[in-house]
Coordinates of all heavy atoms in Angstrom, one line a residue:
K148 N 42.9 -33.3 -23.4 CA 42.2 -33.2 -22.2 C 41.1 -34.3 -22.1 O 40.3 -34.4 -23.0 CB 41.6 -31.8 -22.1 CG 40.9 -31.6 -20.8 CD 40.4 -30.1 -20.8 CE 39.4 -29.8 -19.8 NZ 39.0 -28.4 -19.9
L149 N 41.2 -35.2 -21.1 CA 40.3 -36.3 -21.0 C 39.1 -36.0 -20.2 O 38.0 -36.4 -20.5 CB 41.0 -37.5 -20.4 CG 42.2 -38.1 -21.2 CD1 42.8 -39.2 -20.4 CD2 41.8 -38.5 -22.6
A150 N 39.3 -35.2 -19.1 CA 38.2 -35.0 -18.2 C 38.5 -33.8 -17.3 O 39.6 -33.4 -17.2 CB 37.9 -36.3 -17.4
H151 N 37.4 -33.4 -16.5 CA 37.5 -32.3 -15.6 C 36.8 -32.8 -14.3 O 35.8 -33.4 -14.3 CB 36.8 -31.1 -16.1 CG 36.9 -29.9 -15.3 ND1 37.9 -29.0 -15.3 CD2 36.1 -29.5 -14.3 CE1 37.8 -28.0 -14.4 NE2 36.6 -28.3 -13.8
V152 N 37.5 -32.5 -13.1 CA 37.0 -32.9 -11.8 C 36.9 -31.6 -11.0 O 37.8 -30.9 -10.9 CB 37.9 -33.9 -11.1 CG1 37.3 -34.3 -9.8 CG2 38.0 -35.1 -12.0
T153 N 35.8 -31.5 -10.2 CA 35.6 -30.4 -9.2 C 35.2 -31.1 -7.9 O 34.3 -31.9 -7.9 CB 34.6 -29.4 -9.6 OG1 34.9 -28.8 -10.9 CG2 34.5 -28.3 -8.6
F154 N 36.0 -30.7 -6.9 CA 35.7 -31.3 -5.6 C 35.4 -30.2 -4.5 O 36.2 -29.3 -4.4 CB 37.0 -32.2 -5.1 CG 36.9 -32.7 -3.7 CD1 35.9 -33.7 -3.4 CD2 37.7 -32.3 -2.7 CE1 35.8 -34.2 -2.1 CE2 37.6 -32.8 -1.4 CZ 36.7 -33.8 -1.1
N155 N 34.3 -30.4 -3.8 CA 34.0 -29.4 -2.8 C 34.4 -30.0 -1.4 O 33.9 -31.0 -1.0 CB 32.5 -29.1 -2.8 CG 32.1 -28.0 -1.8 OD1 32.2 -28.2 -0.6 ND2 31.6 -26.9 -2.3
K156 N 35.3 -29.3 -0.8 CA 35.8 -29.9 0.5 C 34.8 -29.9 1.6 O 34.8 -30.8 2.4 CB 37.0 -29.0 1.0 CG 38.2 -29.0 0.0 CD 39.2 -28.0 0.5 CE 40.2 -27.7 -0.5 NZ 41.2 -26.6 -0.1
L157 N 33.9 -28.9 1.6 CA 32.9 -28.9 2.7 C 31.8 -29.9 2.6 O 31.5 -30.6 3.5 CB 32.3 -27.5 2.7 CG 31.3 -27.2 3.8 CD1 31.9 -27.3 5.2 CD2 30.6 -25.8 3.7
T158 N 31.3 -30.1 1.4 CA 30.2 -31.0 1.2 C 30.6 -32.4 0.7 O 29.8 -33.3 0.7 CB 29.2 -30.4 0.1 OG1 29.9 -30.3 -1.1 CG2 28.6 -29.1 0.5
Q159 N 31.9 -32.5 0.4 CA 32.4 -33.8 -0.1 C 31.7 -34.3 -1.4 O 31.4 -35.5 -1.6 CB 32.3 -34.9 1.0 CG 33.1 -34.6 2.2 CD 34.6 -34.7 2.0 OE1 35.1 -35.8 1.8 NE2 35.3 -33.6 2.1
V160 N 31.4 -33.3 -2.2 CA 30.7 -33.6 -3.5 C 31.8 -33.5 -4.6 O 32.6 -32.6 -4.7 CB 29.6 -32.6 -3.8 CG1 29.0 -32.7 -5.2 CG2 28.5 -32.7 -2.8
V161 N 31.7 -34.5 -5.5 CA 32.6 -34.6 -6.6 C 31.8 -34.5 -7.9 O 30.8 -35.2 -8.1 CB 33.4 -36.0 -6.7 CG1 34.3 -36.0 -7.8 CG2 34.1 -36.2 -5.4
R162 N 32.2 -33.5 -8.8 CA 31.5 -33.4 -10.1 C 32.5 -33.8 -11.2 O 33.6 -33.2 -11.3 CB 31.1 -31.9 -10.3 CG 30.4 -31.7 -11.6 CD 30.0 -30.2 -11.7 NE 29.3 -30.0 -12.9 CZ 29.7 -29.2 -13.9 NH1 30.8 -28.5 -13.7 NH2 29.0 -29.0 -15.0
L163 N 32.2 -34.8 -12.0 CA 33.0 -35.3 -13.1 C 32.4 -34.9 -14.4 O 31.2 -35.1 -14.6 CB 33.1 -36.8 -13.0 CG 33.5 -37.4 -11.6 CD1 33.5 -38.9 -11.7 CD2 34.8 -36.9 -11.2
V164 N 33.2 -34.4 -15.3 CA 32.8 -34.0 -16.6 C 33.7 -34.5 -17.7 O 34.9 -34.4 -17.6 CB 32.7 -32.4 -16.8 CG1 32.2 -32.1 -18.1 CG2 31.8 -31.8 -15.7
S165 N 33.2 -35.2 -18.7 CA 33.9 -35.7 -19.8 C 33.0 -35.7 -21.0 O 31.8 -35.4 -20.9 CB 34.6 -37.0 -19.5 OG 33.6 -38.1 -19.7
D166 N 33.5 -36.2 -22.2 CA 32.6 -36.4 -23.3 C 31.6 -37.4 -23.1 O 30.6 -37.6 -23.8 CB 33.4 -36.8 -24.5 CG 34.1 -35.6 -25.2 OD1 33.8 -34.4 -24.8 OD2 34.9 -35.8 -26.1
H167 N 31.7 -38.2 -22.0 CA 30.8 -39.3 -21.7 C 29.7 -38.9 -20.8 O 28.9 -39.7 -20.3 CB 31.6 -40.5 -21.1 CG 32.7 -40.9 -22.0 ND1 32.5 -41.6 -23.2 CD2 34.1 -40.7 -21.8 CE1 33.7 -41.8 -23.7 NE2 34.6 -41.3 -22.9
G168 N 29.7 -37.6 -20.4 CA 28.6 -37.1 -19.6 C 29.2 -36.4 -18.3 O 30.4 -36.3 -18.1
M169 N 28.2 -36.0 -17.5 CA 28.5 -35.3 -16.3 C 27.9 -36.2 -15.2 O 26.8 -36.7 -15.3 CB 27.9 -33.9 -16.2 CG 28.5 -32.9 -17.1 SD 27.9 -31.3 -16.9 CE 26.3 -31.4 -17.8
R170 N 28.6 -36.3 -14.1 CA 28.1 -37.1 -12.9 C 28.4 -36.4 -11.7 O 29.4 -35.7 -11.5 CB 28.8 -38.5 -12.9 CG 28.6 -39.4 -14.1 CD 27.2 -40.0 -14.1 NE 26.7 -40.7 -12.8 CZ 26.9 -41.9 -12.6 NH1 27.4 -42.8 -13.4 NH2 26.4 -42.4 -11.4
L171 N 27.6 -36.6 -10.7 CA 27.9 -36.1 -9.3 C 28.0 -37.3 -8.4 O 27.2 -38.3 -8.5 CB 26.7 -35.3 -8.8 CG 26.6 -33.8 -9.3 CD1 25.3 -33.2 -8.7 CD2 27.8 -33.0 -8.9
F172 N 29.0 -37.3 -7.5 CA 29.2 -38.3 -6.6 C 29.4 -37.7 -5.2 O 29.8 -36.6 -5.1 CB 30.4 -39.2 -6.9 CG 30.3 -39.9 -8.2 CD1 30.9 -39.5 -9.3 CD2 29.6 -41.1 -8.2 CE1 30.8 -40.2 -10.5 CE2 29.5 -41.8 -9.4 CZ 30.1 -41.3 -10.6
F173 N 29.0 -38.4 -4.2 CA 29.1 -37.9 -2.8 C 29.9 -38.9 -2.0 O 29.7 -40.1 -2.1 CB 27.7 -37.8 -2.2 CG 26.8 -36.8 -2.9 CD1 26.1 -37.3 -4.0 CD2 26.7 -35.5 -2.5 CE1 25.2 -36.4 -4.7 CE2 25.9 -34.6 -3.2 CZ 25.2 -35.0 -4.3
F174 N 30.8 -38.4 -1.2 CA 31.6 -39.3 -0.3 C 31.1 -39.2 1.1 O 30.7 -38.1 1.6 CB 33.1 -38.8 -0.3 CG 33.9 -39.0 -1.5 CD1 34.7 -38.0 -2.0 CD2 33.8 -40.2 -2.2 CE1 35.5 -38.2 -3.1 CE2 34.5 -40.4 -3.3 CZ 35.4 -39.4 -3.8
K175 N 31.0 -40.3 1.7 CA 30.6 -40.4 3.2 C 31.6 -41.2 3.9 O 31.9 -42.4 3.5 CB 29.2 -41.1 3.3 CG 28.1 -40.3 2.7 CD 26.8 -41.0 2.8 CE 25.7 -40.2 2.0 NZ 24.4 -40.9 2.0
K176 N 32.2 -40.7 4.9 CA 33.3 -41.3 5.7 C 32.7 -42.4 6.6 O 31.7 -42.1 7.2 CB 34.1 -40.3 6.5 CG 34.8 -39.3 5.6 CD 35.5 -38.3 6.5 CE 36.0 -37.1 5.6 NZ 36.4 -36.0 6.4
R177 N 33.3 -43.5 6.6 CA 32.9 -44.6 7.5 C 34.1 -45.3 8.1 O 35.2 -45.3 7.5 CB 32.1 -45.7 6.7 CG 30.8 -45.2 6.1 CD 29.8 -44.9 7.1 NE 28.5 -44.6 6.5 CZ 28.0 -43.4 6.4 NH1 28.7 -42.4 6.8 NH2 26.8 -43.2 5.9
G178 N 33.9 -45.8 9.3 CA 35.0 -46.6 10.0 C 36.0 -45.7 10.8 O 36.3 -44.6 10.3
I179 N 36.4 -46.2 11.9 CA 37.4 -45.5 12.7 C 38.7 -46.3 12.6 O 39.8 -45.7 12.3 CB 36.9 -45.4 14.2 CG1 35.7 -44.6 14.2 CG2 38.1 -44.9 15.0 CD1 35.0 -44.5 15.6
I180 N 38.7 -47.6 12.8 CA 39.9 -48.4 12.8 C 40.4 -48.6 11.4 O 41.5 -48.5 11.1 CB 39.7 -49.7 13.5 CG1 39.4 -49.5 15.0 CG2 40.9 -50.6 13.3 CD1 39.0 -50.7 15.7
N181 N 39.4 -48.9 10.5 CA 39.7 -49.1 9.1 C 38.9 -48.0 8.3 O 37.9 -48.3 7.8 CB 39.4 -50.5 8.6 CG 39.8 -50.8 7.2 OD1 40.7 -50.1 6.7 ND2 39.2 -51.7 6.6
P182 N 39.4 -46.8 8.2 CA 38.7 -45.7 7.5 C 38.5 -46.0 6.0 O 39.3 -46.6 5.3 CB 39.5 -44.5 7.7 CG 40.9 -44.9 8.0 CD 40.7 -46.3 8.6
R183 N 37.3 -45.7 5.6 CA 36.9 -45.9 4.1 C 35.9 -44.8 3.7 O 35.3 -44.1 4.6 CB 36.4 -47.3 3.9 CG 35.1 -47.6 4.6 CD 34.7 -49.0 4.6 NE 33.5 -49.3 5.3 CZ 33.4 -49.5 6.6 NH1 34.5 -49.3 7.4 NH2 32.2 -49.7 7.2
L184 N 35.7 -44.7 2.5 CA 34.7 -43.8 1.9 C 33.7 -44.6 1.2 O 34.0 -45.5 0.4 CB 35.3 -42.8 0.9 CG 36.3 -41.8 1.5 CD1 36.9 -41.0 0.4 CD2 35.5 -40.8 2.5
V185 N 32.4 -44.3 1.5 CA 31.3 -44.9 0.7 C 30.9 -43.8 -0.3 O 30.9 -42.6 -0.1 CB 30.1 -45.1 1.7 CG1 28.9 -45.5 0.9 CG2 30.5 -46.2 2.7
I186 N 30.7 -44.3 -1.5 CA 30.4 -43.4 -2.7 C 28.9 -43.6 -3.1 O 28.5 -44.7 -3.3 CB 31.3 -43.8 -3.9 CG1 32.8 -43.7 -3.5 CG2 31.0 -42.8 -5.1 CD1 33.7 -44.4 -4.5
T187 N 28.2 -42.5 -3.1 CA 26.8 -42.5 -3.5 C 26.7 -41.7 -4.8 O 27.5 -40.8 -5.0 CB 25.8 -42.0 -2.4 OG1 26.2 -40.7 -2.1 CG2 25.9 -42.9 -1.2
N188 N 25.7 -42.0 -5.6 CA 25.5 -41.2 -6.8 C 24.5 -40.0 -6.6 O 24.2 -39.7 -5.4 CB 25.0 -42.1 -7.9 CG 23.6 -42.7 -7.7 OD1 22.9 -42.3 -6.7 ND2 23.2 -43.6 -8.5
E189 N 24.1 -39.4 -7.7 CA 23.2 -38.2 -7.6 C 21.9 -38.5 -6.9 O 21.3 -37.6 -6.3 CB 22.9 -37.8 -9.0 CG 24.0 -37.4 -9.9 CD 24.5 -38.6 -10.7 OE1 24.4 -39.7 -10.3 OE2 25.1 -38.3 -11.8
Y190 N 21.5 -39.7 -6.8 CA 20.2 -40.1 -6.3 C 20.3 -40.7 -4.9 O 19.3 -41.2 -4.3 CB 19.5 -41.1 -7.2 CG 19.4 -40.6 -8.6 CD1 20.2 -41.1 -9.6 CD2 18.6 -39.5 -9.0 CE1 20.2 -40.6 -10.9 CE2 18.5 -39.1 -10.2 CZ 19.3 -39.6 -11.2 OH 19.3 -39.1 -12.5
G191 N 21.5 -40.6 -4.3 CA 21.7 -41.1 -2.9 C 21.9 -42.6 -2.8 O 21.9 -43.2 -1.8
I192 N 22.1 -43.3 -4.0 CA 22.2 -44.8 -4.0 C 23.7 -45.1 -3.9 O 24.5 -44.6 -4.7 CB 21.6 -45.4 -5.3 CG1 20.1 -45.1 -5.3 CG2 21.9 -46.8 -5.4 CD1 19.5 -45.4 -6.6
Q193 N 24.1 -46.0 -3.0 CA 25.5 -46.4 -2.9 C 25.9 -47.2 -4.1 O 25.3 -48.2 -4.5 CB 25.7 -47.3 -1.6 CG 27.1 -47.7 -1.4 CD 27.4 -48.4 -0.2 OE1 26.7 -48.3 0.8 NE2 28.5 -49.2 -0.2
I194 N 27.0 -46.7 -4.7 CA 27.5 -47.4 -5.9 C 28.9 -47.8 -5.8 O 29.4 -48.4 -6.7 CB 27.3 -46.4 -7.2 CG1 28.1 -45.2 -6.9 CG2 25.9 -46.1 -7.5 CD1 28.4 -44.4 -8.2

C-alpha cells in the first residue's frame, strides 16, 4: 500500500496520506470553454 486518498464531493477537498506525510488540497473550478481545476494547498496558496 503506497498511499490513501479521501475526496469530499461537496467541499472539493482532497486529503492525501502516505509515509511522506499528510496533505490537504482544494480544487477550484475555472473556465467554461476550457474547463480546468486550480489546486490550492492547506494555506490557500495556488500550487
Side-chain angles (χ1 to χ4, degrees):
K148 182 175 166 182
L149 301 176
H151 182 90
V152 178
T153 303
F154 175 67
N155 185 297
K156 296 175 195 176
L157 182 64
T158 61
Q159 299 287 296
V160 174
V161 180
R162 181 175 181 245
L163 309 178
V164 179
S165 77
D166 280 351
H167 306 289
M169 291 185 282
R170 297 287 308 267
L171 282 177
F172 295 100
F173 301 86
F174 289 139
K175 296 177 183 177
K176 297 176 193 169
R177 298 289 187 257
I179 296 171
I180 296 172
N181 186 23
R183 64 190 178 282
L184 291 175
V185 172
I186 305 165
T187 59
N188 66 9
E189 302 92 330
Y190 308 106
I192 299 170
Q193 182 177 335
I194 59 161

